Amino acid sequence: ATTKTVTVNADVTPTISISATTDTLCAGSLAYFASVITNGGTAPAYIWRVNGGATVFSSAYSYIPANGDVVTAMLTSNAQCAVPASVTSNTVTMTVNPQVIPVVVITATPPGTILTGATKTLTATVSNGGDNPNYQWILNGVVIPGATDSSYTATTFNDGDTVTCVVISSGVCGGNTAFSNKEGIVVYNNVGIKSLAPKEELAVYPNPNNGAFTIKGAIGNTDEEVNIVVTDLLGQQVYRSVAIVSNGMLDAQVQLGKSVAHGMYLVSVHTAAGVMVFHVVVEQ
């Protein structure tokens, strides 16, 4: 009789374990996953799934996740006696934090026009800046050395200067940069100009008004050009024009436009002899 030897291989159980380089990251970042298997045979097959949907077929995987994504992988082994032939990995749940986009608004104290040498403080108010945002103040497009606090104070502003503040957030997903408004920090320097008196020589009417009003009255005995500047109480310029004084009399029409919100505004009349400032109320 002929005898044969029968080899019976023991069952093997495939396994697959997956891990991410990190399961917490910022929106828009790429996540990387790797797998470790046992009893996969000579040609194991992979299927990666995000929230149950099949994606790629390789031993590693990368993609840009959304918050709450659940990632798994399935291994199909070609090893002899693999029971079961296909197994599913552990799950990895992704936490995706939104990018922190800072918003910065600067305000001026005091608002509006200042005289030469007067102190003006600009303060940056930041939202989404993190616990320790970075500040940099810029004057007329040039970085101000050492001006890296949340406020900037100076006594050397010149007529027409503009200041902005650049803020870099420090949040978990920070590093984003925001630029402040430029409006509200235009400073008019009145070199050698004194305040005119008595103020009753000029009048603004009607007051309150709907954004259209007249500035009229005696300024002096000469003909000249005067600058009329209107700012809100944050110092943001909303209007500027040049008017002609004829025979010492000013009769200027101001039209702020329908885009100007209701509220109180400062009207500054700049002349060769000085400056007058009036409060007007716009009721749109």
Side-chain angles (χ1 to χ4, degrees):
T2 301
T3 60
K4 292 185 177 181
T5 302
V6 178
T7 302
V8 179
N9 294 319
D11 291 345
V12 295
T13 301
T15 64
I16 179 171
S17 175
I18 65 170
S19 61
T21 303
T22 177
D23 59 6
T24 301
L25 67 171
C26 298
S29 300
L30 200 61
Y32 296 90
F33 298 83
S35 63
V36 176
I37 67 170
T38 61
N39 299 321
T42 58
Y46 302 84
I47 301 177
W48 290 86
R49 299 183 184 277
V50 177
N51 301 325
T55 53
V56 299
F57 308 90
S58 63
S59 60
Y61 177 51
S62 63
Y63 84 116
I64 298 176
N67 188 48
D69 277 356
V70 177
V71 181
T72 60
M74 186 175 72
L75 166 69
T76 298
S77 171
N78 73 336
Q80 291 184 352
C81 303
V83 180
S86 297
V87 291
T88 300
S89 73
N90 57 298
T91 63
V92 176
T93 301
M94 303 303 298
T95 299
V96 178
N97 294 308
Q99 291 285 349
V100 178
I101 307 297
V103 177
V104 55
V105 176
I106 55 178
T107 55
T109 305
T113 304
I114 60 171
L115 297 178
T116 303
T119 299
K120 198 175 190 74
T121 298
L122 307 174
T123 302
T125 302
V126 183
S127 58
N128 297 330
D131 294 332
N132 189 29
N134 295 312
Y135 300 87
Q136 178 60 66
W137 292 89
I138 297 175
L139 173 64
N140 298 327
V142 180
V143 170
I144 305 173
T148 56
D149 295 325
S150 60
S151 63
Y152 174 66
T153 299
T155 60
T156 56
F157 288 117
N158 294 309
D159 184 26
D161 280 350
T162 59
V163 182
T164 55
C165 185
V166 179
V167 175
I168 301 176
S169 65
S170 65
V172 174
C173 292
N176 295 292
T177 301
F179 291 83
S180 73
N181 54 300
K182 286 185 179 180
E183 297 81 8
I185 49 175
V186 177
V187 180
Y188 299 98
N189 190 352
N190 304 296
V191 178
I193 292 180
K194 61 182 179 179
S195 295
L196 287 174
K199 186 176 290 187
E200 290 74 22
E201 293 178 355
L202 280 184
V204 175
Y205 63 90
N207 190 15
N209 56 68
N210 63 357
F213 55 88
T214 299
I215 306 173
K216 189 173 183 178
I219 286 184
N221 298 318
T222 61
D223 296 344
E224 64 171 306
E225 292 185 348
V226 298
N227 289 304
I228 299 173
V229 179
V230 181
T231 61
D232 62 20
L233 294 185
L234 295 178
Q236 297 175 329
Q237 179 180 313
V238 298
Y239 178 89
R240 187 169 191 173
S241 68
V242 175
I244 303 299
V245 176
S246 180
N247 295 322
M249 297 296 295
L250 174 65
D251 187 355
Q253 310 299 314
V254 176
Q255 292 278 352
L256 299 184
K258 294 183 178 180
S259 61
V260 173
H262 65 84
M264 183 174 290
Y265 293 83
L266 300 177
V267 180
S268 302
V269 181
H270 300 253
T271 76
V275 59
M276 283 186 176
V277 179
F278 300 88
H279 290 78
V280 299
V281 176
V282 174
E283 297 178 342
Q284 294 281 23

